[in-house]
Amino acid sequence: MPLLDIKNLTLEIESTQGWIKALDKVSLQLEGGEVRALVGESGSGKSLIVKSIVGAIPEHWRITADRMSWKGQDLISMSSDARRRIMREDIAVIFQNPVNSLDPSASLGEQLMESIPDHLLDKGWFWQRAAQRKQIAVKLLHKVGIKEHSKYLQAYPSALPDDICQKFMIASALAASPKLLIADDPTRGMEVTTKVQILKLLTRLNKIRGLSILFVSHDLLAISNMANTMTVLYCGQTVESGKMHQLRRRPLHPYTHALMESAPSFRKDLPPKSPLATLDGTIPTLQHLPIGCRLGPRCPRAQRECVKVPEERRIHNHFYSCHFPLHRSLK
Amino acid sequence: MTALLSVQDLTYTIRKRQGWLGSEERFTLSPVSFEINAGETLAIIGDNGSGKSLLARLLVGAERPSGGHIFLNGQKLDPFNIKQRCLNIRMIFQHSNESLNPGLSVGRILEEPLKLNTQLDARARQEKVVNTLKLVGLLPDHQFFYRHMLSDGQRQRVGLARALVLDPQVIVADEPFAALDPSVRSQTVNLIMALQRELGLGFVFISHNLGIVRHISDRLLVMQKGLVVESGKTETVFNWPKSEYTEKLVMAHQSLINR
Ligand SMILES: Nc1ncnc2c1ncn2[C@@H]1O[C@H](COP(=O)(O)OP(=O)(O)OP(=O)(O)O)[C@@H](O)[C@H]1O
Ligand code: SF4
Ligand SMILES: [Mg+2]
């Protein structure tokens, strides 16, 4: 049984033009111990999926799904207490831009100790518990590769570089020993050596502790380094998902293909300064979504059928939603 | 042949006093020198806070250097002649979003520098605006649009159009691709390369994206703590890095590619 299982998740947002499907039949599965990348351009709905999973969607939006479960338990119908408990014990989230998600007015040590759940502490007097918290905090820091803990526990977020703050975020996410870590664009804007450190840390946590990771990003280089599997999102629709190496070597959906071609580092045969492959046009806004396949107006393979939303099809564990996938020749 | 842009021993020192009688903190950009020819691209890489953005600001004349000289086509640029600088060396900002005035139409945004810096009359300005929009792949109609009506990629194009409208010889850009999504990013990269071929533009840009740096730049400047630790032809530096710091950056990048 998969850890996380989402089938046809649809999220509707009310706007001046009526209800808009910000997410349209999104499917996503994650097994224990898996590192899955969730890829898509800005505004494609990645963070909305994360919010749907953690239950941070405003009440007045409409959320429906054929299935949305955590270890077989239905997340949508469960009581909010039960759901909060899962979020506290099983699923942890870290966000892009660590400095903004930390409290600037408290030291990193205070924030980290606060994230340690009470049930991990033995019963005792409050001063004993404070000492225990400190011990656990130091251990957590060692786990994320911060050895000079005394130097950083007193420090405030603004005084420290990005990677240290992000490591702190990861440390407090690990405090409750979650099964799943959702990392929403954790390396955005980071310089390459810093980025590599964070990626290595996440990979190690996955290998050693069997932590499952949902890695949300549009940094293809980072993704292909981290993930075993990948789900590609375009304008709120899942267009393709499967094994990382399959999607890299042989994408079936025109969008995935364009995405892979857009990273010059993936193409060793590319002569310097030659034009990069790209799709015409830009991502439509939510207010101007095309009907049917949302890639339609930008897709080089589009035909008349594409005004109907393509059904999801599969070849073994490789899923795609396209009327004219790349392995079929066009009429 | 004289270089299009030649920078010789450019230096800059910032002093910040911390508190009453506090210690003086200094940041020094130590002598930077480089040259680029028409149509060439120079990339600047390095840590946050290594002085890359400062160097960009010195090039476009937003800051005055403490020492050194900048030559354009062999002619020394006067640090006090802002107009001459504005006409020839133009800047594109990282977040075109913040740098475009939401209250002005795209047409007005592009017309502003023409009014300030040229003698063109209203009709000639209008013509120039339309031509520049076409040059960056936008439509004449876009002059009537306001910022909120444009997508990220279109905003980036307007930022580029505003830089190009004065027919500069060099464009300087601070992280021009970072805020762009993959498909739009490739479009912008292609556009800049095409403009360089057509107009012989020199392009200086700062980036963390070593994949793009390697693909489009001819020369590379590696900076660390205000110091140029390495410079040279991009391919040479990537293949045979000399400084330890450059080697670390290149290895980190390679380790991401070769998994
Ligand atoms: N509170 C909201 N009200 C209205 N629309 C929203 C709201 N939050 C998000 N959206 C819209 O939903 C779409 C998806 O947003 P989301 O934040 O999931 O994008 P994303 O894929 O995470 O992008 P990024 O890579 O920039 O983080 C966007 O078009 C966004 O404008
Ligand atoms: S369904 Fe049609 S428009 Fe959509 S990706 Fe496939 S070919 Fe292109
Ligand atoms: Mg997001």
Side-chain angles (χ1 to χ4, degrees), chain A residues 189, chain B residues 53 91-99 156 173-180 208:
Chain B
S53 299
M91 178 105 183
I92 317 180
F93 296 91
Q94 173 169 12
H95 297 287
S96 46
N97 222 350
E98 286 144 35
S99 66
Q156 198 70 4
D174 193 348
E175 291 274 10
F177 310 118
L180 298 181
H208 283 318

Side-chain angles (χ1 to χ4, degrees), chain B residues 9-28:
Chain B
D9 297 325
L10 212 58
T11 60
Y12 189 85
T13 307
I14 311 173
R15 291 198 175 79
K16 265 190 290 182
R17 203 172 277 285
Q18 301 216 309
W20 188 64
L21 281 186
S23 60
E24 198 181 59
E25 210 183 281
R26 290 174 60 168
F27 178 87
T28 316

Side-chain angles (χ1 to χ4, degrees), chain A residues 202-305:
Chain A
L202 291 175
T203 307
R204 202 174 70 228
L205 291 169
N206 167 258
K207 293 255 157 65
I208 294 174
R209 307 182 27 156
L211 181 69
S212 306
I213 301 177
L214 182 63
F215 188 83
V216 181
S217 173
H218 56 214
D219 180 345
L220 286 171
L221 222 46
I223 286 163
S224 63
N225 224 263
M226 282 280 305
N228 326 116
T229 53
M230 164 153 110
T231 298
V232 185
L233 203 66
Y234 182 81
C235 280
Q237 296 177 329
T238 32
V239 298
E240 186 163 4
S241 79
K243 290 232 162 58
M244 188 69 224
H245 65 93
Q246 252 172 356
L247 264 64
R248 248 186 91 168
R249 201 171 339 122
R250 202 159 163 264
L252 299 180
H253 195 282
Y255 178 69
T256 315
H257 180 70
L259 197 66
M260 295 298 167
E261 295 275 298
S262 76
S265 314
F266 280 176
R267 308 193 44 213
K268 298 218 168 59
D269 52 336
L270 194 69
K273 297 201 145 198
S274 55
L276 301 174
T278 175
L279 292 172
D280 290 341
T282 53
I283 310 122
T285 58
L286 275 187
Q287 285 71 31
H288 297 98
L289 290 173
I291 53 163
C293 174
R294 292 180 176 175
L295 188 65
R298 301 181 68 194
C299 180
R301 296 172 73 85
Q303 308 212 10
R304 200 180 317 141
E305 285 92 323

